[in-house]
Amino acid sequence: MKVINRFILVDDEEANNFYHQIVIGGLFPEANVMSFTDGKSALDYLKNEHSDYNQENPGFKSAILLDINMPEMNGWEFLDEYEGLDREQRADYVIALVTSSQNPKDVEKAKSYNLVKEYVIKPLTEENLKDLIESLKK
Amino acid sequence: MIKFPAKHFEKIFDESPIGKAIVGINGNWIKVNQSLCEMLGYDEAELLKMSFQEITHPDDLEVDFKKMKALSSGKISHYLVEKRYIAKSGSFIPAFLGVSLIKDDQEKPLHFISQVIDLSSLKKKETELNQLAEELKVRNDDLANLAHITSHDLQEPIRTMVSFTNLLMEKKSDQFDEVTLKSIQFIDDAAKHLKDQVKGIMDYYLLEKEDASRNWIECQSVVERALQSIHALIDESKAEISIQNLPKIHADENQMNILFQNLIGNAIKFTKEGSKPHIVIKSEEQATQWRFEVIDNGRGISDDDQTLIFQLFKKAAKSEYRRGSGIGLAHCEKIVKNHGGKIGVSSILNKGSKFYFTIKKPK
């Protein structure tokens, strides 16, 4: 399996992005982490810049960690637009960040999305990040 | 007019689900139907040997007598009372009794017609409902108490967090790397947000417990004080606020202050990107109430959100102002209801919103 060396964080809480960046940095010190506090700017990045990155880094993969519960554009609305992107504009994996206690239905819905490879119950920790990478290898 | 055979009327008497009887002037049962017998647990023969006085709850006799007297003397044409009968088993039967009088050709009273509805099942339900209402009241009080106690208890650890983050940032900031400093800043922000939230819950429940203490107050000065409390927000946003001749009203000063703070604060917070908030506060005296309007040129509220925003802890779906507690407008609605008024909003997206509320005048 190719190594994931780019993580794209989409979460409206800046504190979460900051924290997740530290967790990811602990496990993948080499990885490049980008963070966005709303779906729109993440989509803009993917549309305009991400394909260049893919071409420049052929040996690597990228993953989006997508918060579901966001104002303006929530995770599902993000995915609806993401679906329309070209293959090279997309990341290799989309991982949904869900808060099971707030809305148990989100877990079910995350599972039902073809685009969503895995889901992680918040908060992301080194432990569940490891598990996540393991299950992506399968 | 259609003439009904007499046996139809007999049937109405005999087979009625309502207890019916012909009662003598002295109170003795002359004729009783099956329903009445079943209700009281006596058979017909037994009842006919008795008088209504013998099977009426002693406490209810006097009312019955008085009414019978008034009926016999022609003061009233009929009467309806709630009373208790004593069944053969000795238990009391709550009942609704209607009595009218039959007179002879010389207007001399002949006998009474009594109709009796068994209220046992209704009374049982009423008791159950009263018990439920009582339980509900106890639970509500518990809940309000719980909210109050927890809010109080939560304030202490929050204060501790804020004190220490302040200490770290002020005194030791040169010793920390960027990640640590930023982490402390996030803790500080979160703690302050939590503090607002907890205070909001507490205020909301305090409002629930306290009745409005109304006095005659000058709205002009109430609004000025409210503006003073949120002056930081006003200065930062450079908001222009015009107040148009406000009346003297009969209301709770403290609650009115909170109400104006929230409405004006919202009008400033939800401003349109790149435009200066302009807010108008005006009022109109009407026959039974005062009507106030707080009008802004902000970003407006969608139709869907207009109903949502007054609910406790609900925020507009697309709200960018995520730090809101979701309590403010719920609070406002409660205050307005305390004053016998109504609160509402009309709004056009990207044009602005107009919040209005009314305060009932004293009688």
Side-chain angles (χ1 to χ4, degrees), chain A residues 43-107:
Chain A
L43 281 168
D44 283 345
Y45 159 76
L46 290 167
K47 280 178 200 161
N48 301 321
E49 295 171 49
H50 190 62
S51 45
D52 295 343
Y53 168 83
N54 278 342
Q55 279 167 18
E56 287 160 21
N57 298 274
F60 295 99
K61 292 202 180 250
S62 54
I64 297 172
L65 266 63
L66 176 67
D67 181 32
I68 297 305
N69 194 354
M70 291 187 287
E72 293 290 322
M73 175 189 263
N74 69 27
W76 312 123
E77 288 164 345
F78 173 89
L79 285 172
D80 292 339
E81 276 205 35
Y82 180 79
E83 241 174 339
L85 298 184
D86 297 337
R87 179 66 200 89
E88 65 269 19
Q89 289 175 323
R90 292 193 209 162
D92 297 280
Y93 309 112
V94 176
I95 293 133
L97 292 168
V98 294
T99 323
S100 62
S101 60
Q102 258 175 17
N103 198 350
K105 278 187 192 144
D106 281 351
V107 176

Side-chain angles (χ1 to χ4, degrees), chain B residues 251-267:
Chain B
D252 183 304
E253 186 166 4
N254 198 28
Q255 295 191 8
M256 292 306 293
N257 184 12
I258 296 172
L259 180 59
F260 279 114
Q261 267 187 50
N262 271 298
L263 291 180
I264 300 167
N266 279 349

